[in-house]
């Protein structure tokens, strides 16, 4: 049995004079040893620095610098780094069974130290992760950089770390230095909770699972023809009536404001920012069934539980429409600390162009006034998009003139081409489940594309990032969410983060993720293009 030498002591039973944690918890930590611990053997199943997904910018292994995490290891945090420290403790404690105390302090002897570089730009997600014999140091310019480094650190522990129960084994990290930063600042997932409703716990698991691959935004599609999913003060029928359905006639559901805030807080604890979407003026049958006064003819249409699109529209000429829009936007913004609010705008086939433009001329200023940057599906590019606005491209054509015009005038473009990123699509034509209007999207298709070359004239410097939407007309259970999302999410995450993307290399690293996903109880799809 190899006795772990950490921090100058052996990690044998206390008879060797190593104080137990409880003793240490009260007495001050032993002084940082002057002698460097002996090298530690790396277990067979410990990942290499280069196994991480998304691929880091640079990874320099140092084979004699492996680090053994032990029950003596602390996570020391300085000002502003506690959130990432708490995250690491949260994800590493269950399987290791170690206390992994999060302590304020400036040393990493035998443990993990998180450091924030002075005067760093909050948008700078770069980080440096150094694993050495005597301790691990993660430094970054911002909180989001620390979270990125923490996700990498999580992946450098063996897959056993993802099991929910304690595993009695060595927890050794491969020595070396990772220096990393993302190509795009926005790497997003989207969950449509309107077609089929999914509760808080499902959303939290989704957040944790996508966050580990440095996905840093979760867009929640909170309303559509089939369902309204968020409580709005002053408009109780949106949830009393509009939330009572879903595709296929299920019972539906909604988030109270408190539950929405719980989702937002949980996302923040994983370094993920929530982007709420209320789709307007189309995709609004659930709101229209809830309030007759929102309809031009004053009559509420029947509830809708099928899957057609483009038939509904708010009444553009009625002032009450703008009271409604303003209340929704203001209240959603108040509950959302993130910079973005998604206003929808897609498939408004029942809204005349002039009305569509008039609608957004009134509503987009509401989003800006609420302190948010509007995101809209790319059809809204024909409206007056504010300078801070983002155009989310979602179709399969290789050109879109209004989107190009907005990009030329400085509006950023979020790339979600359906034939590359739509997770509701079948992996292969032969799959019995999934959509096919955009063609089959297997993992390789989701991986081998270049976000700055998908749309004519929308190139470098214009693309904000990538997002993989999961529409749920055909998705009714959490298992189906997992199957449609994983492993294509890892492909999208790497396209958004890494500069070097080579399928031959990625597919090998992806195959190695199988054990981690299984340990996390993710019912992922064994795509035939990956050497599982
Ligand atoms: N398009 C619709 C979605 C959904 C999708 C299913 C967008 C922006 C087809 N709008 O994608 O509501 O129905 O693939």
């Amino acid at each position: 049995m190899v006795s772990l030498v950490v921090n100058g002591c052996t990690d044998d039973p206390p008879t060797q004079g190593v104080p137990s944690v409880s003793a240490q918890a009260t007495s001050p930590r032993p002084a940082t040893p002057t002698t460097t611990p002996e090298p530690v053997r790396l277990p067979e199943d410990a990942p290499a620095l280069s196994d991480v997904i998304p691929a880091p910018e640079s990874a320099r292994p140092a084979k004699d610098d492996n680090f053994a995490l032990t029950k003596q290891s602390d996570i020391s945090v300085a000002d502003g780094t506690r959130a990432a420290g708490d995250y690491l403790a949260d994800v590493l404690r269950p399987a290791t069974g170690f206390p992994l105390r999060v302590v304020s302090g400036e040393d990493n002897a035998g443990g993990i130290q998180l450091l924030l570089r002075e005067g760093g730009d909050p948008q700078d997600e770069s980080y440096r992760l150094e694993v050495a014999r005597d301790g691990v140091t993660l430094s970054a310019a911002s909180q989001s950089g620390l979270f990125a480094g923490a996700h990498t650190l999580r992946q450098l522990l063996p897959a056993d770390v993802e099991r929910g129960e304690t595993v009695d084994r060595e927890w050794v990290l491969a020595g070396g230095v990772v220096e990393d930063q993302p190509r795009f600042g926005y790497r997003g997932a989207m969950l449509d909770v309107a077609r089929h409703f999914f509760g808080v716990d499902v959303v939290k698991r989704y957040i944790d699972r996508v966050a580990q691959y440095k996905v840093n935004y979760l867009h929640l599609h909170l309303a559509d023809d089939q369902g309204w999913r968020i409580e709005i003060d002053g408009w109780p029928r949106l949830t009393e009536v509009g939330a009572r359905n879903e595709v296929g006639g299920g019972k539906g559901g909604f988030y109270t404001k408190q539950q929405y805030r719980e989702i937002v807080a949980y996302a923040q604890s994983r370094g993920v920012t929530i982007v709420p979407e209320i789709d307007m003026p189309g995709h609004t049958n659930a709101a229209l069934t809830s309030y007759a006064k929102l309809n031009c003819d004053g009559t509420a249409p029947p509830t809708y539980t099928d899957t057609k699109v483009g038939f509904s529209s708010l009444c553009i000429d009625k002032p009450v429409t703008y009271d409604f829009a303003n209340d929704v936007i203001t209240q959603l913004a108040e509950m959302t600390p993130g910079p973005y609010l998604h206003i929808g705008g897609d498939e408004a086939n029942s809204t005349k162009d002039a009305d569509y433009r008039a609608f957004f001329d009134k509503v987009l200023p509401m989003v800006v006034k609420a302190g948010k940057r509007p995101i809209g599906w790319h059809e809204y590019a024909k409206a007056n998009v504010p300078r801070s606005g983002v155009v989310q491209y979602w179709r399969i054509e290789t050109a879109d003139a209004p989107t190009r015009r907005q990009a030329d005038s400085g509006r950023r473009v979020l790339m979600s081409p359906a034939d590359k990123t739509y997770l509701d699509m079948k992996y292969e034509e032969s799959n019995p489940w999934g959509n096919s209007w955009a063609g089959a999207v297997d993992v390789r298709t989701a991986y081998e594309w270049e976000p700055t070359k998908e749309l004519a004239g929308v190139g470098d410097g214009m693309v904000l990032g990538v997002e993989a939407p999961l529409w749920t007309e055909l998705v009714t259970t959490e298992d189906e969410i997992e199957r449609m999302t994983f492993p294509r999410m890892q492909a999208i995450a790497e396209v958004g983060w890494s500069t070097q993307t080579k399928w031959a290399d990625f597919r090998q690293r992806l195959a190695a993720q199988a054990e981690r996903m299984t340990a996390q109880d993710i019912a992922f799809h064994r795509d035939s293009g990956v050497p599982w």
Side-chain angles (χ1 to χ4, degrees):
M1 132 80 168
V2 175
S3 66
L4 290 177
V5 179
V6 180
N7 192 8
C9 327
T10 58
D11 187 35
D12 289 338
T15 46
Q16 302 295 322
V18 174
S20 70
V21 172
S22 52
Q24 265 195 342
T26 46
S27 61
R29 176 209 305 282
T32 309
T34 48
T35 55
T36 305
E38 290 304 308
V40 170
R41 184 182 56 78
L42 195 62
E44 283 306 302
D45 64 350
L49 301 186
S50 52
D51 288 345
V52 173
I53 290 180
E57 187 173 71
S58 91
R60 294 192 310 279
K63 67 178 176 37
D64 292 339
D65 256 345
N66 305 325
F67 172 72
L69 198 69
T70 72
K71 58 178 179 292
Q72 270 80 30
S73 300
D74 287 340
I75 297 172
S76 68
V77 292
D79 294 348
T81 73
R82 181 167 288 275
D86 287 341
Y87 164 64
L88 272 176
D90 213 17
V91 293
L92 302 186
R93 278 178 185 151
T96 60
F98 297 158
L100 292 174
R101 301 179 312 164
V102 178
V103 297
S104 297
E106 292 287 313
D107 81 12
N108 72 340
I112 299 168
Q113 178 180 22
L114 275 64
L115 292 171
L116 211 50
R117 286 199 293 274
E118 288 300 313
D121 167 3
Q123 302 298 319
D124 177 352
E125 289 184 80
S126 64
Y127 68 87
R128 181 179 190 279
L129 175 65
E130 177 163 8
V131 178
R133 264 185 256 166
D134 54 2
V136 175
T137 306
L138 168 58
S139 60
S142 69
Q143 278 276 14
S144 47
L146 288 171
F147 271 109
H151 297 313
T152 293
L153 186 45
R154 176 177 177 178
Q155 278 193 44
L156 291 179
L157 281 154
D160 275 343
V161 82
E162 299 299 343
R163 291 151 69 99
E165 74 276 352
T166 304
V167 180
D168 182 13
R169 56 160 293 159
E170 299 170 312
W171 296 101
V172 180
L173 288 149
V177 178
V178 174
E179 294 187 297
D180 200 3
Q181 61 182 336
R183 180 181 178 195
F184 296 109
Y186 189 116
R187 289 103 38 209
M190 187 207 86
L191 191 55
D192 166 10
V193 294
R195 275 47 181 273
H196 279 97
F197 179 68
F198 296 96
V200 173
D201 289 345
V202 174
V203 177
K204 283 181 173 179
R205 269 193 296 275
Y206 201 65
I207 289 167
D208 192 61
R209 288 160 170 180
V210 300
Q212 71 184 309
Y213 296 110
K214 300 189 178 75
V215 169
N216 60 350
Y217 285 94
L218 175 62
H219 168 179
L220 286 176
H221 186 73
L222 291 166
D224 211 298
D225 292 320
Q226 299 86 348
W228 183 281
R229 305 300 180 206
I230 178 70
E231 185 179 49
I232 298 292
D233 299 339
W235 299 84
R237 291 175 59 82
L238 289 173
T239 42
E240 286 161 7
V241 175
R244 264 189 340 217
N245 283 290
E246 53 195 344
V247 169
K251 66 179 176 27
F254 67 93
Y255 307 117
T256 63
K257 286 194 161 189
Q258 186 45 39
Q259 287 172 320
Y260 177 81
R261 287 192 183 94
E262 198 183 319
I263 289 170
V264 166
Y266 187 79
Q268 283 177 314
S269 79
R270 261 69 189 151
V272 175
T273 298
I274 294 293
V275 179
E277 177 193 354
I278 297 293
D279 205 339
M280 303 178 197
H283 285 271
T284 43
N285 192 70
L288 295 168
T289 63
S290 305
Y291 286 95
K293 65 182 176 183
L294 285 176
N295 295 269
C296 286
D297 62 3
T299 310
T303 55
Y304 181 74
T305 59
D306 201 341
T307 59
K308 292 184 189 60
V309 297
F311 60 87
S312 57
S313 174
L314 292 174
C315 184
I316 305 302
D317 298 336
K318 277 186 151 182
V320 68
T321 295
Y322 303 97
D323 299 336
F324 164 76
N326 193 53
D327 287 349
V328 169
I329 288 164
T330 310
Q331 292 183 39
L332 216 41
E334 278 164 4
M335 299 187 278
T336 301
Y340 300 110
L341 193 149
H342 202 300
I343 197 69
D346 62 309
E347 298 178 320
N349 307 339
S350 305
T351 312
K352 292 195 290 291
D353 259 10
D355 286 347
Y356 182 92
R357 287 186 178 81
F359 175 80
F360 277 116
D361 279 350
K362 290 197 181 90
V363 167
L364 286 170
M366 296 175 188
V367 178
V368 176
K369 184 161 175 284
K372 300 300 174 190
R373 297 183 59 182
I375 302 182
W377 300 107
H378 68 260
E379 290 96 321
Y380 98 136
K382 62 190 171 206
N384 293 315
V385 177
R387 279 207 62 74
S388 67
V390 173
V391 175
Q392 181 166 10
Y393 184 75
W394 64 274
R395 287 216 34 101
I396 59 177
E397 287 73 26
T398 54
D400 183 76
T403 300
R404 180 173 187 167
R405 262 197 306 279
Q406 293 292 354
D408 284 340
S409 62
R411 279 74 176 166
R412 307 299 296 285
V413 179
L414 176 59
M415 291 302 291
S416 296
D419 55 348
K420 306 289 189 303
T421 68
Y422 267 32
L423 302 178
D424 58 319
M425 294 301 137
K426 293 168 184 274
Y427 281 82
E428 292 152 34
E429 287 303 340
S430 59
N431 290 148
W433 26 268
N435 258 326
S436 52
W437 69 266
V441 179
D442 62 8
V443 178
R444 184 166 190 170
T445 305
Y447 186 78
E448 287 194 319
W449 62 289
E450 168 44 54
T452 63
K453 293 199 170 24
E454 278 292 305
L455 268 182
V458 179
D460 266 326
M462 297 174 163
V463 173
L464 177 70
V466 296
E467 181 181 289
L470 177 57
W471 299 104
T472 60
E473 287 96 333
L474 306 176
V475 176
T476 59
T477 67
E478 187 172 12
D479 266 16
E480 289 169 356
I481 290 179
E482 293 164 4
R483 177 175 68 194
M484 300 310 275
T485 302
F486 301 99
R488 288 180 292 192
M489 183 52 76
Q490 286 97 325
I492 302 297
E494 180 145 317
V495 168
W497 179 278
S498 308
T499 41
Q500 304 300 327
T501 52
K502 288 185 286 298
W503 169 249
D505 173 55
F506 175 73
R507 67 194 288 270
Q508 300 294 344
R509 283 181 285 124
L510 185 58
Q513 292 293 316
E515 216 185 335
R516 305 190 89 81
M517 292 190 279
T518 303
Q520 295 175 55
D521 201 18
I522 295 175
F524 66 96
H525 175 63
R526 287 181 177 271
D527 183 286
S528 55
V530 179
W532 302 109

